[in-house]
């Protein structure tokens, strides 16, 4: 499952995937402009299993950024909404909510 040509902004797809506790691969550009991809999630059960820290209370992020847990780094990262180039591996539930099934 890959969204690179659909009408919805990729940031919307990523936010929906994360709200469904999906673990997805997201391709984006880092602050220095270098392309990268990361496997990310916000699933609290999976994050705890990895030994990651969960935020205490509500986590506020600067406008235009999405906060997600990087599975490889085992830490939280910010992804700029306008640098996302692809999202792969979201769940069937997310796909159905996006009406792509």
């Amino acid at each position: 499952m890959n969204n690179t040509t659909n009408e919805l902004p990729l940031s919307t797809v990523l936010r929906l995937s994360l709200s469904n506790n999906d673990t997805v691969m997201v391709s984006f550009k880092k602050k220095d402009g270098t392309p990268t991809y990361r496997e990310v999630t916000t699933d609290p059960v999976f994050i705890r299993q990895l030994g990651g820290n969960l935020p205490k209370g509500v986590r506020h992020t600067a406008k235009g950024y999405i906060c997600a847990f990087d599975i490889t780094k085992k830490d939280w990262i910010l992804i700029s909404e306008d640098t996302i180039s692809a999202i792969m591996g979201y769940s069937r539930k997310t796909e159905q909510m996006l009406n792509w099934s």
Side-chain angles (χ1 to χ4, degrees):
M1 292 170 244
N2 185 350
N3 176 36
T4 56
T5 60
N6 292 311
E7 295 177 21
L8 282 175
L10 289 171
S11 59
T12 301
V13 176
L14 181 56
R15 285 184 189 282
L16 180 61
S17 296
L18 294 173
S19 72
N20 284 330
N21 289 331
D22 292 348
T23 298
V24 297
M25 192 68 83
V26 60
S27 178
F28 62 98
K29 288 185 182 175
K30 297 191 302 186
K31 284 183 181 181
D32 66 4
T34 307
T36 189
Y37 62 92
R38 304 281 187 209
E39 189 173 16
V40 299
T41 190
T42 56
D43 181 350
V45 174
F46 190 40
I47 292 168
R48 275 192 215 105
Q49 288 174 348
L50 293 171
N53 294 323
L54 296 174
K56 293 182 170 122
V58 177
R59 190 174 192 105
H60 295 283
T61 305
K63 186 174 180 173
Y65 287 89
I66 298 171
C67 186
F69 189 82
D70 183 322
I71 291 171
T72 303
K73 289 175 61 175
K74 294 184 180 167
D75 201 3
W76 293 91
I77 62 171
L78 291 176
I79 301 168
S80 176
E81 291 179 347
D82 57 355
T83 66
I84 301 169
S85 56
I87 302 165
M88 295 142 292
Y90 43 83
S91 68
R92 185 82 171 140
K93 177 182 177 183
T94 298
E95 189 174 325
Q96 289 172 340
M97 291 176 79
L98 294 166
N99 294 318
W100 292 344
S101 56

